[in-house]
Short mmCIF file of all heavy atoms in Angstrom, two decimals:
data_model
loop_
_atom_site.label_atom_id
_atom_site.label_comp_id
_atom_site.label_asym_id
_atom_site.label_seq_id
_atom_site.Cartn_x
_atom_site.Cartn_y
_atom_site.Cartn_z
N ALA A 1 22.06 -60.59 -46.15
CA ALA A 1 20.69 -60.40 -45.67
C ALA A 1 19.77 -60.01 -46.82
O ALA A 1 18.64 -60.48 -46.91
CB ALA A 1 20.68 -59.34 -44.57
N ARG A 2 20.29 -59.15 -47.71
CA ARG A 2 19.46 -58.75 -48.85
C ARG A 2 19.22 -59.92 -49.79
O ARG A 2 18.15 -60.07 -50.36
CB ARG A 2 20.15 -57.59 -49.60
CG ARG A 2 20.06 -56.25 -48.86
CD ARG A 2 20.36 -55.10 -49.81
NE ARG A 2 21.72 -55.18 -50.35
CZ ARG A 2 22.78 -54.60 -49.77
NH1 ARG A 2 22.63 -53.95 -48.63
NH2 ARG A 2 23.97 -54.70 -50.32
N ARG A 3 20.24 -60.77 -49.95
CA ARG A 3 20.08 -61.93 -50.83
C ARG A 3 19.04 -62.90 -50.29
O ARG A 3 18.26 -63.48 -51.02
CB ARG A 3 21.41 -62.65 -50.99
CG ARG A 3 22.41 -61.90 -51.87
CD ARG A 3 23.71 -62.68 -51.94
NE ARG A 3 24.69 -62.02 -52.79
CZ ARG A 3 25.95 -62.44 -52.91
NH1 ARG A 3 26.35 -63.51 -52.25
NH2 ARG A 3 26.79 -61.78 -53.70
N ASP A 4 19.06 -63.12 -48.96
CA ASP A 4 18.17 -64.10 -48.35
C ASP A 4 16.77 -63.56 -48.11
O ASP A 4 15.84 -64.33 -47.87
CB ASP A 4 18.75 -64.58 -47.01
CG ASP A 4 20.07 -65.35 -47.21
OD1 ASP A 4 20.25 -65.86 -48.32
OD2 ASP A 4 20.86 -65.42 -46.27
N ALA A 5 16.63 -62.25 -48.15
CA ALA A 5 15.31 -61.67 -47.90
C ALA A 5 14.35 -62.03 -49.02
O ALA A 5 14.75 -62.13 -50.18
CB ALA A 5 15.43 -60.15 -47.79
N PRO A 6 13.09 -62.28 -48.68
CA PRO A 6 12.11 -62.62 -49.74
C PRO A 6 11.94 -61.46 -50.72
O PRO A 6 11.91 -60.29 -50.33
CB PRO A 6 10.82 -62.87 -48.94
CG PRO A 6 11.03 -62.18 -47.63
CD PRO A 6 12.50 -62.25 -47.36
N LYS A 7 11.86 -61.82 -52.00
CA LYS A 7 11.71 -60.79 -53.01
C LYS A 7 10.31 -60.19 -52.96
O LYS A 7 9.33 -60.88 -52.73
CB LYS A 7 11.98 -61.38 -54.40
CG LYS A 7 13.41 -61.84 -54.60
CD LYS A 7 13.59 -62.39 -56.00
CE LYS A 7 15.03 -62.85 -56.22
NZ LYS A 7 15.25 -63.40 -57.57
N GLN A 8 10.25 -58.90 -53.16
CA GLN A 8 8.98 -58.19 -53.15
C GLN A 8 8.52 -57.92 -54.59
O GLN A 8 9.32 -57.49 -55.43
CB GLN A 8 9.12 -56.86 -52.39
CG GLN A 8 9.56 -57.01 -50.94
CD GLN A 8 8.56 -57.80 -50.11
OE1 GLN A 8 7.35 -57.60 -50.25
NE2 GLN A 8 9.05 -58.66 -49.25
N TYR A 9 7.27 -58.21 -54.85
CA TYR A 9 6.71 -58.01 -56.18
C TYR A 9 5.53 -57.04 -56.09
O TYR A 9 4.79 -57.02 -55.11
CB TYR A 9 6.25 -59.34 -56.78
CG TYR A 9 7.36 -60.32 -57.02
CD1 TYR A 9 7.63 -61.32 -56.10
CD2 TYR A 9 8.13 -60.26 -58.17
CE1 TYR A 9 8.66 -62.23 -56.32
CE2 TYR A 9 9.15 -61.17 -58.41
CZ TYR A 9 9.41 -62.15 -57.48
OH TYR A 9 10.43 -63.05 -57.70
N ASP A 10 5.38 -56.28 -57.14
CA ASP A 10 4.26 -55.36 -57.22
C ASP A 10 2.98 -56.16 -57.46
O ASP A 10 2.88 -56.88 -58.47
CB ASP A 10 4.49 -54.37 -58.37
CG ASP A 10 3.43 -53.28 -58.42
OD1 ASP A 10 2.41 -53.41 -57.72
OD2 ASP A 10 3.62 -52.31 -59.17
N PRO A 11 1.99 -56.08 -56.57
CA PRO A 11 0.74 -56.85 -56.76
C PRO A 11 0.05 -56.54 -58.08
O PRO A 11 -0.70 -57.37 -58.59
CB PRO A 11 -0.11 -56.40 -55.57
CG PRO A 11 0.85 -55.91 -54.55
CD PRO A 11 1.98 -55.30 -55.32
N LYS A 12 0.32 -55.40 -58.67
CA LYS A 12 -0.33 -55.04 -59.93
C LYS A 12 0.09 -55.97 -61.07
O LYS A 12 -0.62 -56.08 -62.06
CB LYS A 12 0.00 -53.59 -60.29
CG LYS A 12 -0.60 -52.56 -59.34
CD LYS A 12 -0.24 -51.15 -59.76
CE LYS A 12 -0.84 -50.12 -58.81
NZ LYS A 12 -0.47 -48.74 -59.20
N LEU A 13 1.27 -56.60 -60.90
CA LEU A 13 1.73 -57.51 -61.95
C LEU A 13 0.80 -58.71 -62.11
O LEU A 13 0.74 -59.33 -63.16
CB LEU A 13 3.14 -58.01 -61.63
CG LEU A 13 4.26 -56.95 -61.63
CD1 LEU A 13 5.56 -57.57 -61.15
CD2 LEU A 13 4.44 -56.39 -63.03
N PHE A 14 0.06 -59.04 -61.05
CA PHE A 14 -0.78 -60.24 -61.07
C PHE A 14 -2.27 -59.93 -60.97
O PHE A 14 -3.08 -60.86 -60.91
CB PHE A 14 -0.38 -61.16 -59.91
CG PHE A 14 1.08 -61.49 -59.88
CD1 PHE A 14 1.93 -60.84 -59.00
CD2 PHE A 14 1.60 -62.44 -60.73
CE1 PHE A 14 3.28 -61.14 -58.97
CE2 PHE A 14 2.95 -62.75 -60.71
CZ PHE A 14 3.80 -62.10 -59.84
N GLN A 15 -2.65 -58.68 -60.97
CA GLN A 15 -4.05 -58.35 -60.72
C GLN A 15 -5.00 -58.80 -61.83
O GLN A 15 -6.20 -58.96 -61.59
CB GLN A 15 -4.19 -56.83 -60.51
CG GLN A 15 -3.86 -55.99 -61.73
CD GLN A 15 -3.98 -54.51 -61.45
OE1 GLN A 15 -4.25 -54.10 -60.31
NE2 GLN A 15 -3.81 -53.68 -62.46
N GLU A 16 -4.48 -59.04 -63.03
CA GLU A 16 -5.33 -59.49 -64.13
C GLU A 16 -5.42 -61.01 -64.24
O GLU A 16 -6.16 -61.53 -65.07
CB GLU A 16 -4.83 -58.91 -65.46
CG GLU A 16 -4.82 -57.39 -65.50
CD GLU A 16 -6.20 -56.79 -65.25
OE1 GLU A 16 -7.19 -57.40 -65.71
OE2 GLU A 16 -6.28 -55.75 -64.59
N LEU A 17 -4.64 -61.72 -63.40
CA LEU A 17 -4.67 -63.18 -63.46
C LEU A 17 -5.92 -63.72 -62.78
O LEU A 17 -6.32 -63.24 -61.72
CB LEU A 17 -3.43 -63.77 -62.80
CG LEU A 17 -2.09 -63.46 -63.47
CD1 LEU A 17 -0.95 -64.09 -62.69
CD2 LEU A 17 -2.08 -63.98 -64.91
N ARG A 18 -6.55 -64.72 -63.38
CA ARG A 18 -7.76 -65.32 -62.83
C ARG A 18 -7.65 -66.84 -62.94
O ARG A 18 -7.13 -67.36 -63.91
CB ARG A 18 -9.01 -64.86 -63.59
CG ARG A 18 -9.25 -63.36 -63.56
CD ARG A 18 -9.69 -62.88 -62.18
NE ARG A 18 -10.02 -61.46 -62.21
CZ ARG A 18 -9.14 -60.49 -61.99
NH1 ARG A 18 -7.86 -60.81 -61.76
NH2 ARG A 18 -9.51 -59.23 -62.01
N TRP A 19 -8.17 -67.52 -61.92
CA TRP A 19 -8.25 -68.97 -62.00
C TRP A 19 -9.34 -69.36 -62.97
O TRP A 19 -10.38 -68.73 -63.07
CB TRP A 19 -8.57 -69.56 -60.62
CG TRP A 19 -7.45 -69.45 -59.64
CD1 TRP A 19 -7.33 -68.55 -58.63
CD2 TRP A 19 -6.29 -70.28 -59.56
NE1 TRP A 19 -6.18 -68.75 -57.93
CE2 TRP A 19 -5.52 -69.82 -58.48
CE3 TRP A 19 -5.85 -71.37 -60.31
CZ2 TRP A 19 -4.32 -70.40 -58.12
CZ3 TRP A 19 -4.65 -71.96 -59.95
CH2 TRP A 19 -3.89 -71.48 -58.86
N ARG A 20 -9.11 -70.45 -63.72
CA ARG A 20 -10.14 -70.97 -64.62
C ARG A 20 -10.05 -72.49 -64.66
O ARG A 20 -8.99 -73.06 -64.46
CB ARG A 20 -9.96 -70.41 -66.03
CG ARG A 20 -8.65 -70.75 -66.71
CD ARG A 20 -8.49 -70.03 -68.03
NE ARG A 20 -7.23 -70.32 -68.67
CZ ARG A 20 -7.02 -71.33 -69.51
NH1 ARG A 20 -8.03 -72.12 -69.84
NH2 ARG A 20 -5.83 -71.54 -70.06
N LEU A 21 -11.17 -73.12 -64.88
CA LEU A 21 -11.21 -74.56 -64.97
C LEU A 21 -10.66 -75.01 -66.32
O LEU A 21 -11.11 -74.54 -67.37
CB LEU A 21 -12.66 -75.05 -64.82
CG LEU A 21 -12.87 -76.56 -64.97
CD1 LEU A 21 -12.16 -77.32 -63.87
CD2 LEU A 21 -14.37 -76.88 -64.98
N ILE A 22 -9.69 -75.93 -66.29
CA ILE A 22 -9.11 -76.42 -67.54
C ILE A 22 -9.31 -77.92 -67.72
O ILE A 22 -8.81 -78.50 -68.67
CB ILE A 22 -7.61 -76.07 -67.64
CG1 ILE A 22 -6.82 -76.70 -66.49
CG2 ILE A 22 -7.41 -74.56 -67.68
CD1 ILE A 22 -5.32 -76.52 -66.61
N GLY A 23 -10.05 -78.57 -66.79
CA GLY A 23 -10.38 -79.98 -66.95
C GLY A 23 -9.32 -80.89 -66.37
O GLY A 23 -8.37 -80.43 -65.74
N PRO A 24 -9.47 -82.20 -66.63
CA PRO A 24 -10.60 -82.85 -67.31
C PRO A 24 -11.89 -82.67 -66.52
O PRO A 24 -11.89 -82.84 -65.30
CB PRO A 24 -10.20 -84.33 -67.38
CG PRO A 24 -8.75 -84.37 -67.04
CD PRO A 24 -8.46 -83.18 -66.21
N SER A 25 -12.98 -82.40 -67.21
CA SER A 25 -14.21 -82.02 -66.53
C SER A 25 -14.83 -83.17 -65.74
O SER A 25 -15.58 -82.94 -64.80
CB SER A 25 -15.23 -81.49 -67.55
OG SER A 25 -15.51 -82.48 -68.53
N ARG A 26 -14.52 -84.43 -66.11
CA ARG A 26 -15.06 -85.57 -65.39
C ARG A 26 -13.96 -86.39 -64.72
O ARG A 26 -14.10 -87.59 -64.53
CB ARG A 26 -15.87 -86.47 -66.35
CG ARG A 26 -17.08 -85.80 -66.95
CD ARG A 26 -18.05 -85.31 -65.88
NE ARG A 26 -18.59 -86.41 -65.09
CZ ARG A 26 -19.69 -87.10 -65.42
NH1 ARG A 26 -20.36 -86.79 -66.51
NH2 ARG A 26 -20.13 -88.07 -64.66
N GLY A 27 -12.89 -85.73 -64.38
CA GLY A 27 -11.76 -86.46 -63.79
C GLY A 27 -11.94 -86.78 -62.33
O GLY A 27 -11.27 -87.64 -61.79
N GLY A 28 -12.86 -86.09 -61.64
CA GLY A 28 -13.04 -86.33 -60.22
C GLY A 28 -11.99 -85.61 -59.38
O GLY A 28 -11.21 -84.81 -59.88
N ARG A 29 -11.99 -85.88 -58.08
CA ARG A 29 -11.02 -85.22 -57.20
C ARG A 29 -9.61 -85.73 -57.52
O ARG A 29 -9.44 -86.80 -58.09
CB ARG A 29 -11.38 -85.45 -55.74
CG ARG A 29 -11.21 -86.86 -55.25
CD ARG A 29 -11.72 -87.00 -53.82
NE ARG A 29 -11.39 -88.31 -53.27
CZ ARG A 29 -12.11 -89.39 -53.45
NH1 ARG A 29 -13.20 -89.33 -54.18
NH2 ARG A 29 -11.74 -90.54 -52.91
N VAL A 30 -8.64 -84.94 -57.14
CA VAL A 30 -7.27 -85.23 -57.57
C VAL A 30 -6.29 -84.95 -56.45
O VAL A 30 -6.44 -83.97 -55.72
CB VAL A 30 -6.91 -84.41 -58.84
CG1 VAL A 30 -7.06 -82.93 -58.58
CG2 VAL A 30 -5.50 -84.70 -59.30
N LEU A 31 -5.28 -85.81 -56.33
CA LEU A 31 -4.18 -85.61 -55.39
C LEU A 31 -2.84 -85.47 -56.09
O LEU A 31 -1.86 -85.11 -55.47
CB LEU A 31 -4.10 -86.80 -54.42
CG LEU A 31 -5.29 -87.02 -53.50
CD1 LEU A 31 -5.14 -88.32 -52.73
CD2 LEU A 31 -5.46 -85.85 -52.54
N ALA A 32 -2.80 -85.80 -57.39
CA ALA A 32 -1.52 -85.86 -58.10
C ALA A 32 -1.56 -85.02 -59.37
O ALA A 32 -2.30 -85.32 -60.30
CB ALA A 32 -1.20 -87.31 -58.45
N VAL A 33 -0.76 -83.97 -59.39
CA VAL A 33 -0.60 -83.12 -60.58
C VAL A 33 0.88 -82.77 -60.70
O VAL A 33 1.53 -82.46 -59.69
CB VAL A 33 -1.42 -81.83 -60.49
CG1 VAL A 33 -1.15 -80.93 -61.68
CG2 VAL A 33 -2.91 -82.13 -60.40
N THR A 34 1.41 -82.81 -61.90
CA THR A 34 2.81 -82.41 -62.08
C THR A 34 3.01 -81.83 -63.47
O THR A 34 2.34 -82.22 -64.42
CB THR A 34 3.77 -83.60 -61.88
OG1 THR A 34 5.13 -83.14 -61.92
CG2 THR A 34 3.57 -84.66 -62.95
N GLY A 35 3.93 -80.89 -63.55
CA GLY A 35 4.33 -80.34 -64.83
C GLY A 35 5.62 -80.98 -65.30
O GLY A 35 6.15 -81.92 -64.69
N VAL A 36 6.15 -80.45 -66.40
CA VAL A 36 7.40 -80.95 -66.98
C VAL A 36 8.37 -79.78 -67.08
O VAL A 36 8.05 -78.75 -67.69
CB VAL A 36 7.16 -81.58 -68.37
CG1 VAL A 36 8.47 -82.04 -68.97
CG2 VAL A 36 6.16 -82.73 -68.27
N ARG A 37 9.54 -79.95 -66.51
CA ARG A 37 10.53 -78.88 -66.50
C ARG A 37 10.91 -78.49 -67.92
O ARG A 37 11.24 -79.34 -68.76
CB ARG A 37 11.77 -79.33 -65.73
CG ARG A 37 12.86 -78.28 -65.64
CD ARG A 37 14.03 -78.78 -64.83
NE ARG A 37 13.67 -79.01 -63.44
CZ ARG A 37 14.54 -79.40 -62.50
NH1 ARG A 37 15.81 -79.61 -62.82
NH2 ARG A 37 14.15 -79.60 -61.26
N GLY A 38 10.82 -77.19 -68.21
CA GLY A 38 11.20 -76.68 -69.53
C GLY A 38 10.13 -76.84 -70.59
O GLY A 38 10.34 -76.41 -71.74
N GLN A 39 9.00 -77.43 -70.26
CA GLN A 39 7.91 -77.63 -71.21
C GLN A 39 6.60 -77.17 -70.56
O GLN A 39 5.81 -78.00 -70.07
CB GLN A 39 7.83 -79.09 -71.65
CG GLN A 39 9.10 -79.61 -72.28
CD GLN A 39 9.00 -81.08 -72.67
OE1 GLN A 39 8.09 -81.48 -73.41
NE2 GLN A 39 9.93 -81.89 -72.18
N PRO A 40 6.34 -75.88 -70.51
CA PRO A 40 5.23 -75.33 -69.73
C PRO A 40 3.84 -75.73 -70.20
O PRO A 40 2.87 -75.52 -69.46
CB PRO A 40 5.44 -73.81 -69.84
CG PRO A 40 6.22 -73.63 -71.10
CD PRO A 40 7.11 -74.83 -71.21
N GLU A 41 3.70 -76.29 -71.38
CA GLU A 41 2.37 -76.67 -71.85
C GLU A 41 2.05 -78.14 -71.62
O GLU A 41 0.95 -78.60 -71.94
CB GLU A 41 2.22 -76.34 -73.34
CG GLU A 41 2.25 -74.84 -73.61
CD GLU A 41 1.77 -74.51 -75.00
OE1 GLU A 41 1.72 -75.41 -75.85
OE2 GLU A 41 1.43 -73.33 -75.24
#
């Protein structure tokens, strides 16, 4: 039960995070975005 229970995180860990626009500024609306496993940039 403890393993399956959702992990609890301290909200303070994320309080400094803010959304920001990273572009492309003229790309228009979007339905498809994906990252690359192991390559966070």
Side-chain angles (χ1 to χ4, degrees):
R2 286 197 298 270
R3 287 178 179 174
D4 295 337
K7 295 181 179 179
Q8 301 298 319
Y9 296 96
D10 186 349
K12 293 180 180 179
L13 295 173
F14 306 101
Q15 65 182 4
E16 300 302 324
L17 295 179
R18 300 288 185 271
W19 290 102
R20 61 187 179 89
L21 177 64
I22 60 174
S25 59
R26 297 301 297 272
R29 69 185 188 275
V30 58
L31 296 173
V33 176
T34 186
V36 178
R37 181 178 295 183
Q39 302 179 55
E41 294 194 343

